Amino acid sequence: MTSQPSQPASHPELVTMANDIRLACMRISRRVRFESDQELAPHHFSVLARLEDAPRTNSELAEIERVSAPSMKRTTTHLVEAGYVSRADDPLDGRQVILSLTEEGRAAVERVRRHRDEWMLDRFATLTETELDLLQRASAVLGKVASK
Amino acid sequence: MTSQPSQPASHPELVTMANDIRLACMRISRRVRFESDQELAPHHFSVLARLEDAPRTNSELAEIERVSAPSMKRTTTHLVEAGYVSRADDPLDGRQVILSLTEEGRAAVERVRRHRDEWMLDRFATLTETELDLLQRASAVLGKVASK
DNA sequence: TATTGTTATACTCTATAACTATA
DNA sequence: TATAGTTATAGAGTATAACAATA
């Protein structure tokens, strides 16, 4: 026991819990992607989800997704050709190109997201009422762990 | 409410929870990998972790990891050259080559795993005692959701 | 002949460096 | 000259097809 109450790394049950929860999250994440990423490759879905919030330039997307500008260019070119993203010149700065989600792109994102949630709901169907209730209350805590 | 008690997809709060928990798991998973996969690429770590349980042939690893035999061959060749994996002819079947974890490989897996758990423990340090207790009890349920 | 491992070749996603156009 | 976008080229990981060795 150290003098810092908010540094609980020395508690063996916390180490066990860290491992258990990390493994569960990684397995759930892997299986969700495995079951649901048939329509859209992971890096394509990721970019479309970013454009859902607001239109972006290629450079902005590259920085957010932490890939190089040419890599993102390749991805966005593919998405434009697939009809999921549209390009528009910036009227204020002729160097920039604004990328936006098309209706088709928005629908594709929603389909993938619905598919992913359906997988989770299928898993929930194996739980008891008590387990569902516990998970419900722990949900916010898990969100806090995941948050920045 | 339908006639099937184990098909709760029509409950709106379950749909919300499915989305919340899925997102939290995917974010945690992504951040764990982003923070911890500096030493070993994901597909390298994955193969080493499989060899931790038992020695395997290249074909077995390819099937487990769902990649082609030539792809796995490339990965295992790299791991052998890095000193993490050793090759041995099968005395019973001259066609087969048995791949095993070296001590160095075992140590690398443990380092990555410890690093990943440390990230989780850092996040736990932001939680209250009540939240930690709730997470502790929900841990087994999450494991059940993640299980096959 | 069937199976295991390997090599040959190609495609995709990633990167860095160089080039073009606009500010 | 600085910045956004783009093009050129290369490296890593994946795949399928073909080949070699063993059962």
Side-chain angles (χ1 to χ4, degrees):
Chain A
M1 201 75 88
T2 74
S3 57
Q4 297 151 294
S6 60
Q7 197 71 266
S10 54
H11 295 228
E13 73 270 15
L14 275 183
V15 177
T16 302
M17 179 163 91
N19 188 261
D20 290 348
I21 293 197
R22 177 178 67 70
L23 277 180
C25 287
M26 294 186 80
R27 284 191 185 130
I28 288 169
S29 182
R30 183 167 49 225
R31 292 192 58 196
V32 163
R33 272 184 290 112
F34 186 77
E35 314 275 344
S36 320
D37 287 358
Q38 319 296 1
E39 175 170 3
L40 241 39
H43 67 293
H44 289 156
F45 175 79
S46 188
V47 166
L48 294 184
R50 295 293 183 183
L51 291 177
E52 225 180 2
D53 306 326
R56 307 261 186 205
T57 67
N58 192 74
S59 303
E60 284 171 346
L61 288 171
E63 192 182 350
I64 291 170
E65 295 292 317
R66 300 176 192 257
V67 296
S68 66
S71 292
M72 184 52 73
K73 166 71 179 168
R74 186 189 176 91
T75 299
T76 53
T77 297
H78 178 274
L79 291 172
V80 168
E81 285 168 359
Y84 293 144
V85 167
S86 63
R87 295 163 50 95
D89 292 333
D90 186 337
L92 302 174
D93 185 339
R95 294 171 302 179
Q96 296 199 26
V97 179
I98 311 290
L99 300 167
S100 310
L101 218 52
T102 63
E103 271 315 301
E104 203 180 337
R106 195 170 298 273
V109 171
E110 276 160 19
R111 270 198 305 277
V112 171
R113 200 167 277 144
R114 197 178 320 122
H115 196 178
R116 291 179 170 188
D117 286 336
E118 275 164 13
W119 182 86
M120 284 298 284
L121 285 167
D122 276 354
R123 297 298 306 152
F124 287 173
T126 69
L127 303 180
T128 66
E129 276 301 317
T130 313
E131 287 173 329
L132 281 171
D133 185 61
L134 188 51
L135 211 52
Q136 178 73 272
R137 284 183 292 135
S139 176
V141 183
L142 216 55
K144 195 171 166 186
V145 171
S147 72
K148 191 71 193 177
Chain B
M1 202 72 90
T2 72
S3 56
Q4 298 151 294
S6 59
Q7 197 71 264
S10 54
H11 296 229
E13 73 270 15
L14 275 184
V15 177
T16 302
M17 178 163 91
N19 189 262
D20 290 348
I21 294 201
R22 178 177 67 70
L23 277 181
C25 287
M26 293 186 81
R27 283 188 186 133
I28 288 169
S29 182
R30 182 167 51 225
R31 292 191 59 195
V32 163
R33 271 185 290 110
F34 185 77
E35 314 273 344
S36 319
D37 287 359
Q38 317 298 0
E39 175 170 0
L40 242 40
H43 66 294
H44 288 157
F45 175 79
S46 187
V47 166
L48 294 185
R50 294 294 183 181
L51 291 177
E52 227 181 0
D53 306 326
R56 305 264 187 201
T57 66
N58 190 75
S59 302
E60 283 171 347
L61 288 171
E63 193 182 351
I64 292 168
E65 296 292 317
R66 299 177 193 258
V67 297
S68 66
S71 293
M72 184 52 73
K73 165 73 178 167
R74 188 188 175 94
T75 300
T76 53
T77 297
H78 178 275
L79 292 172
V80 168
E81 284 167 0
Y84 293 143
V85 167
S86 63
R87 296 163 50 96
D89 292 334
D90 186 337
L92 300 175
D93 186 340
R95 294 171 303 182
Q96 296 200 26
V97 179
I98 312 291
L99 300 168
S100 309
L101 218 52
T102 62
E103 271 315 301
E104 204 180 337
R106 195 170 298 274
V109 171
E110 277 161 18
R111 270 197 306 277
V112 170
R113 201 167 276 144
R114 199 178 319 124
H115 197 179
R116 291 179 172 186
D117 287 337
E118 274 163 14
W119 181 87
M120 283 299 285
L121 285 167
D122 276 355
R123 297 299 304 150
F124 286 174
T126 69
L127 302 180
T128 66
E129 276 300 318
T130 312
E131 287 173 328
L132 281 171
D133 185 61
L134 187 50
L135 210 52
Q136 177 74 272
R137 284 184 293 133
S139 177
V141 183
L142 215 56
K144 194 170 166 184
V145 172
S147 71
K148 192 70 194 178

